[in-house]
Amino acid sequence: MSGRWQTNLLVFLLALSVLASNAYVWLVNYVPLGDVSRYQLMALGHHDQVPAVHRYRVVVPLLARLVAEVLRSLRALFGPNAPSLPLGFSFYLVNTFLLALSGLLIYRTARVSGASAGPALLGMVAVLSSGLVTFVAGSALADSLPILVVALWLYALAARTGGWLLLGIICSLVAKEQLALMLPVVLFYGSFLSWPRRLGAVVLAGGLLLAVHYVVNVYYPLPGGNDQAEVLPVLLSHVQHHLLASLEFLASLDGIISLLLPFGGFNLLFVCGFMGGKAAIRTWSRRLPPGSAAMVGCVCLFMLLSSDISRMLLFAGPVFGVAVALIVEYHPWSCALWRRLAAPLR
């Protein structure tokens, strides 16, 4: 095993260890409500009982169902008295694995962008230690896959790796339809690939989404009969009702707290990065992967169109983690502090 693979494995195991324990505590202590109960219904094959806005995000529920079937087969090896595991445990395993991969990509992106190992690990932990990431990992939710897609895009843009960029584009729409808002950013900054390849990946992404819609609509038709007619009213409702409500909410104290909630005390380090004048800010900001600011702008739009602002902010987690690593590495204030703190470890 090469040195890079060993490093990646160790970082991945660290990411798993950061996530697994806290997420398990959440798993065994929460009551499944709202989106959680809908994704559990999807994993059980009851798509006809799920609203159109959720019923086509099939990848994570399908993976959770497959894991549940494997666990059920393994249980048979230990006899009828072996304890059974709830479906939520399968979601926990899938989400924790996908989010740990996202953490590894945050680390790799920070390293490619110029951060050393210590700050890159700190940037990864800044995201994975979030209470909301714990909530996603330990719940029957499907946000882990789109977060992984965003992390994959960011790494591909930083490392200029065309294969990973194309993979992220192809998987984006089945992971979460709202990622279509981020596709123009990825297409524009992925100029190291030819336009035919980028546009071809978008066509494949759209075709994959249409195929998922077709299969779900054929095997699990909605009681109303017209499946596609259920989607547009929901989207229009989000624009009409959530947009103004979200702007009013963000102007309140509760809205400000919601913005600070996902990354906790690491927000202070991020704020520090914008102090010290333009020269100090440029020391780290110019090293961010191409398109980082535009991707954060798209996340802001996600937030305005959602009723759960804090959870939508997690889609900026990959950019936030890389920014934290670069601030620690290059900003004059935090760089000096980091060198002093890390001196005993050398």
Side-chain angles (χ1 to χ4, degrees):
M1 185 180 292
S2 67
R4 172 172 288 189
W5 277 103
Q6 287 178 329
T7 301
N8 290 341
L9 178 60
L10 288 174
V11 173
F12 176 75
L13 292 176
L14 174 62
L16 275 179
S17 66
V18 171
L19 288 165
S21 178
N22 292 336
Y24 184 78
V25 172
W26 177 263
L27 169 70
V28 298
N29 284 285
Y30 83 100
V31 178
L33 297 171
D35 290 357
V36 171
S37 59
R38 291 164 185 166
Y39 287 118
Q40 284 185 332
L41 286 171
M42 289 173 63
L44 293 171
H46 302 307
H47 291 71
D48 55 325
Q49 301 177 30
V50 178
V53 71
H54 296 101
R55 72 195 304 254
Y56 303 108
R57 299 169 190 168
V58 299
V59 178
V60 172
L62 179 60
L63 290 175
R65 178 63 180 268
L66 291 175
V67 170
E69 293 298 330
V70 171
L71 293 176
R72 185 176 302 169
S73 300
L74 293 176
R75 176 173 175 261
L77 298 177
F78 296 95
N81 296 324
S84 60
L85 293 171
L87 183 61
F89 185 78
S90 300
F91 273 97
Y92 157 76
L93 292 179
V94 171
N95 286 330
T96 300
F97 180 81
L98 295 178
L99 288 170
L101 285 179
S102 301
L104 173 60
L105 286 171
I106 292 171
Y107 170 83
R108 292 302 315 163
T109 305
R111 295 285 280 147
V112 169
S113 301
S116 55
L121 288 173
L122 183 64
M124 180 188 78
V125 171
V127 177
L128 297 187
S129 62
S130 166
L132 282 176
V133 172
T134 295
F135 166 64
V136 171
S139 304
L141 292 171
D143 291 334
S144 58
L145 182 59
I147 291 173
L148 176 60
V149 169
V150 174
L152 184 60
W153 276 341
L154 196 67
Y155 173 73
L157 291 174
R160 298 176 66 85
T161 53
W164 292 123
L165 187 72
L166 295 176
L167 178 63
I169 293 173
I170 293 169
C171 296
S172 59
L173 299 183
V174 293
K176 194 176 183 72
E177 298 88 341
Q178 287 91 323
L179 289 182
L181 298 174
M182 205 176 285
L183 273 177
V185 176
V186 177
L187 292 174
F188 179 79
Y189 287 99
S191 56
F192 48 88
L193 285 176
S194 65
W195 273 110
R197 296 182 69 184
R198 281 176 278 171
L199 294 177
V202 173
V203 171
L204 288 175
L208 186 57
L209 180 63
L210 290 175
V212 169
H213 275 241
Y214 176 78
V215 172
V216 172
N217 292 339
V218 167
Y219 288 96
Y220 307 100
L222 286 173
N226 189 347
D227 302 281
Q228 301 302 331
E230 297 289 337
V231 180
L232 186 59
V234 172
L235 295 177
L236 292 176
S237 174
H238 274 63
V239 174
Q240 292 174 352
H241 300 296
H242 289 314
L243 187 59
L244 291 178
S246 297
L247 288 172
E248 292 176 1
F249 179 71
L250 289 173
S252 66
L253 179 60
D254 288 341
I256 296 173
I257 292 174
S258 296
L259 291 176
L260 298 177
L261 182 64
F263 305 117
F266 288 98
N267 289 304
L268 296 175
L269 187 57
F270 187 70
V271 171
C272 174
F274 288 92
M275 296 181 177
K278 292 183 179 179
I281 296 172
R282 282 197 297 268
T283 58
W284 65 271
S285 61
R286 62 185 176 86
R287 299 176 184 271
L288 285 170
S292 295
M295 293 173 80
V296 172
C298 292
V299 173
C300 292
L301 187 56
F302 295 168
M303 291 162 51
L304 293 176
L305 297 177
S306 172
S307 59
D308 194 342
I309 289 175
S310 295
R311 184 147 62 97
M312 290 302 102
L313 192 55
L314 289 182
F315 292 103
V319 177
F320 181 86
V322 174
V324 166
L326 294 176
I327 289 169
V328 171
E329 184 74 39
Y330 292 105
H331 192 281
W333 295 2
S334 56
C335 183
L337 178 62
W338 174 256
R339 282 200 297 264
R340 179 170 297 183
L341 293 175
L345 302 177
R346 295 173 181 170

